[in-house]
Amino acid sequence: MLRSCAPSGLCGRLFRICLLRLAYRACLFYKGEVTTSEPPSPSLFSPMPEGSGSYLARLNPEQRAAIETTDGPLLVLAGAGTGKTRVLTTRFAHILLTGRAKPWQILAVTFTNKAAREMRERVGLLLGAPADGLWLGTFHALCARMLRRHAEYAGLTQGFTILDTDDQLRLLKQVMEPWRIDTKRWPPPGLLGVIQRWKDRGLTPARVTPAEDTDFANGHARAIYEAYQARLLQLNACDFGDLMLHVTEILRTQPDVLAQYHRLFRYILVDEYQDTNTVQYLWLRLLAKRPDGAANICCVGDDDQSIYSWRGAEVENILRFEKDFPGAQIVRLERNYRSTRHILGAAAGLIAHNADRLGKTLRSGRDDAEGDKVSVTGVWDSDAEARIVCETAESLRAQGHSLAEMAILVRAGFQTRAFEERLVQTGLPYRIVGGIRFYERAEVRDAIAYMRALTQPADDLAFERIVNVPKRGVGPAALQKLHAAARAAGVSLSVATAQLVENATLKGKLGEQLGKLMTALATTRDIMARDGHVVAIEHLLEESGYLDMWRQDRSPEAPGRLENLKELVRALADFGTLGEFLEHVALVMEHDENAQEARLSIMTLHGAKGLEFDIVFLPGWEEGVFPSQRTLDEGGQKGLEEERRLAYVGITRARKQALIFHAGSRRIYANWQPSMPSRFLDELPDEHITRNDEGGMRHRGLHSTDSVFANGPVIARRRRDPLADDATSLQLGDHVRHARFGVGIVIAADRHHVEIAFENAGTKRLLSSFIEKL
DNA sequence: GTAATAATTATTTTT
DNA sequence: TAATTATTAC
């Protein structure tokens, strides 16, 4: 994934690698036993007298309170741009520097690897030394670490594999077969979703009540879930949700394990608490609540930025904090140091429309200029929108703003296309953040499957993936045979295949090819023992014929794929062992790109959370797109509020300027659809916004034709001045013309839109400025 | 077992 | 529209 913000790519990377190695060594060192004794590396933290640290200087009183309230439960409600990360990292350092805990006695949890990395770097900076040997990481990374120690309680062994989404789905499809489910009506990805939601809620198959099992796959969902879990154990594998689920289940049922962690962790810090799901909440509560009732847990979050409910996040966790942890203190961080007053005012006015809030008001923490108002621009169609956004970006760059400080934030992926096309034409450097990530590319996954098959003989999924890539004549029929042999002998696919090759049961080309594959795997193991994993993997990819497959491929992508494989082998060298590398791949799924020139970023609003830019473009603020129709249909009022929070997140990403756009019609799939301005626009306080609806249309008018029925929206040339057609000039009963829908009569009108009964296009609600009066 | 053709279906995706 | 996926014919 491309992420621009790491200040020093190489440094951060080396740093992370060091930590990963350390974590891994720690794993081996502890192996199944949680110890509260000193870790191998001596620490250099000596206690300091209370409050004397210079690190506390230049904090505002609320931030200071959030840091110095060390004991007991604490909820820090941190609005956007109020210095949340600073509080979290300083609090971490404070606990260490005042001698309240040793580095390994603090559990610090984040959602993203990026946040974990940033926190580790900043804590290290505050301490003046690299922060090693910490329990600091994402929920999943920490759980993976715990689960490797206690794997046997979950029915796994220490070296279990973590499956990616691809494997999960393939596995589920296999497991579903005996049920003969109608996959048209009950698509496997849907069922996988159901299972994931169960896991999000901490429900093992045994904990799923029959009442919850009625809706999917004719009530077989729970049974399939159970079979799926059983199969995972056979493969010595777990999926992503299992990392949380297994550990939580162990903590629930193994009091001695829980007690070990209670002894270990004196303080718990949690970032982005509003995004926790139920298992994560249970996991935290189990670890935080000691037998004596004490709980030194500090959760930082913002209920107004909860945008992941569709992934199982429960805003209720943060809303309920005081009940969960009696005696909890609450600190509100409301002073924003990021954005101008108008941006804050617009965001505050918008979010005030939400009902379920803990209530927070962002105030400006800076005394500098008011800044520009948030601009709202109505344009003719989605093409015009892309054009104006790109032109604006270009002229802002000419005024001295770096493209690296600008971002286009869209609601959904399909919106990126129009911008991309336009940017290619314009020649502005851009990047799309959150596309296919390096480790998700087919060739990279294939190569990783080779590595998994190498290290994990039980990993049937990896073996299945590579057995016929490159083509070795193993089709469904041959695979069936291998499966049957494996089942009969009670061994894994690769072991069974090796046996069949050995005793020459497989004849002809098939036997020969598979023989070569098994030899390649065997020789690679020898080489790995002798020359290390990098040389070994090079050998494996070569001998298996995988590299040749791409070398012979004449498609235009092939050279790029080979390049990616080269890069993969290069990355391999950053890790001490193949196991470390595979853990990194499974958990981190990130890959550093070399630093490049300043680029304009295009990303989804979800992807922008936690980032900030000088200038933010917010296109597509139209009903149906944003708020998204689907969320509205599925989530009702709650869905609307989440969309509104997303809008709030979008606006508050901007430091200096937020530019909102909406188009009169938008091409969705094949055809043009009329679109109404988003209701969120009406919720922005007038005093903080400027409207400039004419911009795109005047421009467009020059190139348009007379035809009302032309392919694509056009403005009739007859129209002299778009500004003259103000909303106020339209009355009920007026005869009007719309470029796409022809002529009609106004049947309703308010400040911004009118409803028109068209002769040929039915009744539509439209923005009044797109209407021409006859 | 593969290649060509038909059919299907379109959010958000921290790990 | 366009990309992915299932089906069918070879």
Side-chain angles (χ1 to χ4, degrees):
Chain A
M1 166 111 81
L2 284 162
R3 280 268 149 93
S4 60
C5 316
S8 53
L10 184 65
C11 244
R13 179 171 172 174
L14 288 172
F15 198 55
R16 252 172 298 152
I17 291 155
C18 278
L19 284 157
L20 262 158
R21 287 203 181 132
L22 246 149
Y24 185 76
R25 251 181 255 134
C27 268
L28 294 179
F29 182 80
Y30 293 120
K31 208 177 180 189
E33 165 66 13
V34 180
T35 165
T36 48
S37 65
E38 308 264 326
S41 51
S43 91
L44 33 78
F45 309 111
S46 47
M48 269 172 87
E50 192 86 9
S52 69
S54 60
Y55 58 91
L56 290 174
R58 294 178 56 205
L59 291 165
N60 69 37
E62 304 87 69
Q63 291 175 329
R64 239 186 125 121
I67 289 160
E68 294 186 304
T69 311
T70 49
D71 289 23
L74 174 70
L75 177 63
V76 180
L77 290 172
T82 54
K84 180 194 72 164
T85 312
R86 189 164 181 209
V87 163
L88 218 45
T89 52
T90 312
R91 184 185 166 89
F92 196 117
H94 180 72
I95 289 169
L96 294 179
L97 292 170
T98 53
R100 286 182 163 82
K102 296 291 177 192
W104 58 93
Q105 292 172 325
I106 301 177
L107 177 68
V109 204
T110 64
F111 270 84
T112 62
N113 289 301
K114 203 179 145 228
R117 200 187 318 143
E118 200 175 315
M119 196 157 152
R120 188 178 287 125
E121 278 164 8
R122 287 174 69 165
V123 168
L125 226 61
L126 282 165
L127 299 176
D132 289 342
L134 306 180
W135 283 89
L136 187 162
T138 63
F139 276 102
H140 296 274
L142 292 166
C143 276
R145 189 165 156 193
M146 289 180 173
L147 191 56
R148 295 230 181 261
R149 299 176 157 191
H150 313 290
E152 69 281 5
Y153 287 117
L156 295 163
T157 68
Q158 196 254 335
F160 63 84
T161 316
I162 301 166
L163 299 184
D164 60 37
T165 35
D166 254 24
D167 290 329
Q168 288 174 41
L169 195 59
R170 277 194 299 140
L171 184 63
L172 183 67
K173 278 181 186 159
Q174 288 174 18
V175 169
M176 278 169 78
E177 264 165 37
W179 272 271
R180 307 206 155 274
I181 302 285
D182 177 6
T183 50
K184 282 259 154 42
R185 255 187 93 191
W186 311 110
L191 183 54
L192 197 61
V194 170
I195 291 174
Q196 265 158 9
R197 291 294 86 80
W198 276 335
K199 290 184 175 180
D200 287 342
R201 289 168 54 209
L203 300 173
T204 56
R207 288 181 191 270
V208 175
T209 62
E212 303 208 61
D213 188 28
T214 46
D215 44 349
F216 211 94
N218 306 323
H220 293 306
R222 199 196 69 89
I224 298 171
Y225 177 24
E226 198 165 12
Y228 172 75
Q229 291 302 94
R231 186 82 181 105
L232 280 172
L233 292 186
Q234 276 176 10
L235 297 171
N236 192 30
C238 65
D239 67 19
F240 242 89
D242 283 337
L243 294 173
M244 291 297 317
L245 187 69
H246 283 321
V247 174
T248 306
E249 197 60 22
I250 292 168
L251 296 178
R252 272 173 160 179
T253 54
Q254 308 292 332
D256 52 320
V257 175
L258 182 63
Q260 286 173 19
Y261 285 107
H262 278 159
R263 261 178 276 132
L264 180 62
F265 299 134
R266 298 205 182 167
Y267 292 92
I268 298 179
L269 300 179
V270 188
D271 191 16
E272 307 278 19
Y273 190 59
Q274 77 283 349
D275 286 333
T276 49
N277 60 33
T278 304
V279 228
Q280 287 161 344
Y281 159 77
L282 291 171
W283 183 81
L284 283 171
R285 205 182 58 178
L286 282 162
L287 291 171
K289 281 205 173 176
R290 297 157 173 287
D292 62 4
N296 289 331
I297 183 169
C298 168
C299 296
V300 182
D302 181 359
D303 50 316
D304 290 334
Q305 291 189 64
S306 157
I307 54 173
Y308 281 106
S309 74
W310 50 274
R311 264 189 135 243
E314 305 269 350
V315 211
E316 286 72 25
N317 290 343
I318 197 168
L319 302 175
R320 225 184 33 229
F321 188 82
E322 284 177 284
K323 273 193 203 138
D324 288 330
F325 297 99
Q329 303 206 50
I330 296 189
V331 174
R332 285 184 163 77
L333 303 181
E334 297 173 306
R335 284 193 227 192
N336 174 294
Y337 298 97
R338 179 189 296 158
S339 312
T340 66
R341 280 170 205 279
H342 283 307
I343 290 168
L344 290 178
L350 178 80
I351 201 66
H353 286 80
N354 270 6
D356 283 330
R357 299 179 64 210
L358 286 169
K360 231 178 331 64
T361 320
L362 278 188
R363 297 190 305 275
S364 178
R366 310 190 312 196
D367 297 322
D368 54 0
E370 294 260 293
D372 294 326
K373 291 187 174 183
V374 172
S375 93
V376 176
T377 307
V379 294
W380 192 244
D381 62 19
S382 38
D383 294 340
E385 181 184 64
R387 198 187 59 242
I388 289 173
V389 167
C390 296
E391 280 169 3
T392 313
E394 205 169 10
S395 71
L396 284 166
R397 179 168 75 154
Q399 288 165 37
H401 291 98
S402 166
L403 284 178
E405 284 309 330
M406 300 181 208
I408 302 173
L409 308 184
V410 295
R411 172 67 245 265
F414 70 84
Q415 291 172 263
T416 57
R417 197 189 193 129
F419 295 103
E420 196 174 3
E421 282 169 7
R422 191 75 214 176
L423 286 164
V424 169
Q425 277 178 28
T426 323
L428 276 185
Y430 68 96
R431 72 162 102 221
I432 293 187
V433 180
I436 321 127
R437 293 182 281 187
F438 183 74
Y439 290 118
E440 283 169 357
R441 289 166 194 277
E443 67 277 17
V444 176
R445 286 195 147 156
D446 286 340
I448 286 165
Y450 268 101
M451 299 180 207
R452 275 167 49 189
L454 187 73
T455 52
Q456 277 273 355
D459 195 340
D460 284 3
L461 289 161
F463 190 77
E464 241 175 81
R465 183 172 180 126
I466 59 147
V467 73
N468 202 33
V469 181
K471 301 254 152 57
R472 295 190 181 89
V474 185
L479 195 60
Q480 213 57 52
K481 264 187 218 158
L482 296 180
H483 266 296
R487 245 196 321 270
V491 293
S492 70
L493 272 182
S494 71
V495 173
T497 308
Q499 285 170 357
L500 292 180
V501 168
E502 196 84 11
N503 56 32
T505 317
L506 296 168
K507 289 173 281 285
K509 219 171 188 153
L510 182 71
E512 191 187 314
Q513 298 271 13
L514 284 177
K516 267 168 118 178
L517 173 65
M518 300 320 286
T519 313
L521 285 167
T523 53
T524 303
R525 289 195 186 97
D526 294 341
I527 292 173
M528 186 140 74
R530 207 175 48 239
D531 304 318
H533 61 290
V534 182
V535 180
I537 297 307
E538 277 174 343
H539 170 88
L540 178 61
L541 295 179
E542 197 59 68
E543 290 304 305
S544 60
Y546 187 72
L547 288 174
D548 276 335
M549 180 183 95
W550 289 119
R551 287 191 192 114
Q552 279 152 29
D553 193 306
R554 287 286 142 247
S555 66
E557 305 94 68
R561 293 185 194 271
L562 281 165
E563 203 46 51
N564 287 334
L565 289 167
K566 248 191 192 163
E567 174 59 29
L568 184 74
V569 174
R570 209 169 17 242
L572 210 49
D574 292 340
F575 297 83
T577 69
L578 193 56
E580 285 176 51
F581 173 75
L582 290 175
E583 186 85 348
H584 171 83
V585 171
L587 289 172
V588 180
M589 283 297 239
E590 262 178 50
H591 187 70
D592 288 324
E593 302 281 323
N594 29 339
Q596 330 101 324
E597 57 181 325
R599 284 163 188 271
L600 168 61
S601 303
I602 308 174
M603 63 181 92
T604 63
L605 287 159
H606 286 90
K609 201 175 88 167
L611 305 177
E612 54 185 284
F613 301 90
D614 283 343
I615 295 144
V616 166
F617 298 96
L618 299 161
W621 282 45
E622 295 135 39
E623 287 293 304
V625 176
F626 191 37
S628 130
Q629 192 55 50
R630 191 146 156 196
T631 302
L632 256 36
D633 292 344
E634 287 167 9
Q637 190 62 28
K638 286 212 155 173
L640 175 63
E641 295 212 345
E642 180 148 319
E643 293 284 300
R644 194 177 278 117
R645 291 193 290 267
L646 202 48
Y648 172 82
V649 167
I651 295 174
T652 54
R653 294 312 93 195
R655 284 191 284 251
K656 296 179 181 159
Q657 232 177 321
L659 303 137
I660 301 173
F661 299 84
H662 61 95
S665 65
R666 179 171 295 277
R667 190 167 41 184
I668 291 177
Y669 312 134
N671 41 356
W672 288 89
Q673 296 222 322
S675 47
M676 250 169 59
S678 169
R679 67 190 79 184
F680 297 151
L681 294 173
D682 296 329
E683 297 171 358
L684 298 170
D686 283 337
E687 65 268 32
H688 296 300
I689 61 171
T690 48
R691 287 194 162 261
N692 33 318
D693 287 348
E694 80 287 2
M697 296 155 63
R698 187 180 281 154
H699 203 94
R700 188 55 149 132
L702 298 171
H703 312 287
S704 56
T705 68
D706 239 342
S707 170
V708 172
F709 306 103
N711 190 20
V714 283
I715 294 176
R717 198 184 290 152
R718 215 177 315 163
R719 179 163 167 178
R720 281 184 305 273
D721 179 6
L723 285 174
D725 300 316
D726 209 287
T728 49
S729 68
L730 287 174
Q731 305 281 322
L732 290 184
D734 276 355
H735 287 255
V736 295
R737 184 201 301 276
H738 182 274
R740 283 207 68 69
F741 309 115
V743 291
I745 296 177
V746 177
I747 55 172
D750 62 31
R751 201 157 65 99
H752 298 305
H753 356 88
V754 286
E755 202 165 330
I756 296 160
F758 288 104
E759 278 179 5
N760 299 317
T763 302
K764 308 258 192 240
R765 238 161 86 79
L766 299 164
L767 189 67
S768 49
S769 43
F770 294 110
I771 308 301
E772 181 194 357
K773 197 173 165 185
L774 289 178

